[in-house]
Amino acid sequence: PTSRIADRHPTRFVAPARRDRGRVPMSSMFKTLTAVQKALGALPVAMTPSRVNGKWHAPEFSRRKVAELRKAALSFDLDWVHDTARKPVRERMKGHKHDRDRPIREAKVAAALKKQPELVAAYRAKMKIKPTTLEKLTMSTAELVLKRRLAVTSGKK
């Protein structure tokens, strides 16, 4: 007894026939030019679903059959005008949100840095008006209010 399966069952392991590598394999439906022309004649209607008496019916040619018909028509040098427009691919930036928002944030920081000298000057002027701890202890509330009003009217703020 042999141990090889191919020896025991020779019909199971038949090598496949070599195909001609130059030609495009076609489906059995569209092998001849007349079959392709006949199918092309029915095409705009035959590839769309239809509604009959309120019920939807599948198209005569499935998308696979339409693709095979297209390939056969192009191989016979026939014009193919039934391509549908594809939706545009959405260009979306990948990555993290903080990476996408970085240019906006940097622009905000640059604008804030341009205003910084004015803000620092205003803060320092405000701090000069603010009474020190010694003034708070030695002056009355009325004197502090009077000092603040004089500083504001004299233009220190």
Side-chain angles (χ1 to χ4, degrees), residues 7-134:
D7 292 337
R8 284 184 278 169
H9 304 285
T11 56
R12 238 190 229 181
F13 295 98
V14 175
R18 294 191 63 175
R19 281 197 218 154
D20 183 15
R21 303 264 184 224
R23 71 176 182 88
V24 177
M26 290 189 209
S27 70
S28 60
M29 188 173 183
F30 306 115
K31 281 189 174 179
T32 63
L33 179 62
T34 56
V36 172
Q37 287 174 337
K38 182 180 175 185
L40 283 175
L43 242 201
V45 177
M47 63 188 272
T48 56
S50 59
R51 191 169 186 174
V52 179
N53 296 330
K55 290 187 178 182
W56 285 100
H57 292 275
E60 184 181 342
F61 294 144
S62 66
R63 291 197 181 205
R64 182 180 59 83
K65 288 289 184 186
V66 170
E68 289 176 3
L69 176 61
R70 179 182 183 273
K71 188 190 293 185
L74 293 176
S75 70
F76 283 119
D77 294 328
L78 298 174
D79 290 333
W80 180 262
V81 293
H82 304 289
D83 281 334
T84 56
R86 293 181 177 219
K87 290 183 181 180
V89 177
R90 187 171 44 156
E91 296 286 333
R92 187 170 163 198
M93 186 176 173
K94 293 215 172 197
H96 298 280
K97 186 175 186 300
H98 63 86
D99 291 333
R100 293 193 303 264
D101 293 343
R102 174 173 276 168
I104 298 167
R105 191 176 73 247
E106 287 176 353
K108 278 184 182 179
V109 169
L113 283 175
K114 287 181 183 176
K115 294 179 187 177
Q116 196 65 26
E118 299 168 9
L119 293 174
V120 168
Y123 176 77
R124 287 182 178 161
K126 182 181 172 186
M127 287 288 106
K128 283 184 181 177
I129 295 172
K130 190 174 180 181
T132 62
T133 307
L134 181 64

